[in-house]
Amino acid sequence: MRGFIALPVPEAEKDDLILQTAGLRARYPELKWIGSQGLHITLNFLGEIEERMLPFLRTTMESAAMRMETFDLSLRGLSSFPRKGPPRVIFVPVIDGARSCIELQHRLSDTLESHFPRERRRFTPHLTLARVKSGRAPDPERESQDIGVNYRVDRVVLYRSVLTPRGAFYEELYRAPFTG
């Protein structure tokens, strides 16, 4: 199974983001927009996971979560990856709470690297809105003024990614509440 560790987004904030980006979605239908069910903040992409690794992942998540306190997140604006060249990913950056996201991601990565490859790119906390397959993309400088949500994060989640012809579906496998 394919999996990743992420911070969930509450349903009300997912709905807000879908409403806030409705105009962009209409103006750029050629982009592969992420639906409400797929909105999250990925901390660690794991790729293929063997079932025997689930106890290790659970322990890793519990260990990291027990040292974290709940924290506030503020996602605001619009940006894209890569920083140079044509955009491939359109996202909302984490503004407030980024340091806590980075701290948690590093804690997880330090333990996970014994079984999963460490991401070589620098971690940038963000919520992906769309993928650019071809064609034009929104200009983040001109299109971002009304996009953003705030919410409190109290757990980290292991998701299984199920690929279907209509896109990926994410199933929560395990959650580790912050208890620090």
Side-chain angles (χ1 to χ4, degrees), residues 17 20-21 24 75-78 92 129 143-148:
L17 285 167
Q20 293 169 12
T21 58
L24 284 175
L75 292 86
R76 191 88 41 234
L78 201 62
V92 182
L129 291 174
E143 307 263 18
S144 66
Q145 62 274 9
D146 296 326
I147 298 173

Side-chain angles (χ1 to χ4, degrees), residues 138-179:
D139 178 354
E141 298 296 318
R142 286 189 284 149
E143 307 263 18
S144 66
Q145 62 274 9
D146 296 326
I147 298 173
V149 293
N150 303 304
Y151 66 97
R152 193 152 188 79
V153 179
D154 63 357
R155 66 191 179 282
V156 62
V157 176
L158 172 63
Y159 290 98
R160 178 173 81 145
S161 177
V162 180
L163 301 179
T164 71
R166 292 178 29 190
F169 168 77
Y170 306 124
E171 175 187 1
E172 184 177 311
L173 294 179
Y174 178 71
R175 66 175 61 184
F178 298 158
T179 58

Side-chain angles (χ1 to χ4, degrees), residues 39-154:
L39 297 176
H40 59 269
I41 298 171
T42 301
L43 298 173
N44 302 87
F45 178 75
L46 304 171
E48 286 298 320
I49 305 170
E50 296 177 24
E51 189 139 344
R52 66 179 178 83
M53 293 303 299
L54 292 177
F56 166 75
L57 291 170
R58 181 178 183 153
T59 301
T60 298
M61 291 170 59
E62 287 172 347
S63 176
M66 69 187 267
R67 295 181 284 160
M68 293 295 296
E69 295 182 6
T70 60
F71 60 94
D72 293 321
L73 274 186
S74 175
L75 292 86
R76 191 88 41 234
L78 201 62
S79 193
S80 63
F81 291 133
R83 299 275 186 229
K84 295 179 181 176
R88 293 193 312 257
V89 174
I90 307 299
F91 67 89
V92 182
V94 173
I95 304 301
D96 296 327
R99 183 169 290 160
S100 294
C101 291
I102 292 167
E103 177 186 332
L104 177 57
Q105 193 271 344
H106 285 172
R107 285 181 181 167
L108 291 164
S109 293
D110 288 346
T111 304
L112 291 169
E113 73 181 349
S114 65
H115 293 89
F116 298 92
R118 187 183 277 264
E119 176 66 55
R120 288 183 285 156
R121 294 172 292 196
R122 186 173 149 235
F123 176 66
T124 302
H126 69 280
L127 183 144
T128 298
L129 291 174
R131 300 196 185 285
V132 182
K133 298 297 183 185
S134 63
R136 63 193 181 99
D139 178 354
E141 298 296 318
R142 286 189 284 149
E143 307 263 18
S144 66
Q145 62 274 9
D146 296 326
I147 298 173
V149 293
N150 303 304
Y151 66 97
R152 193 152 188 79
V153 179
D154 63 357

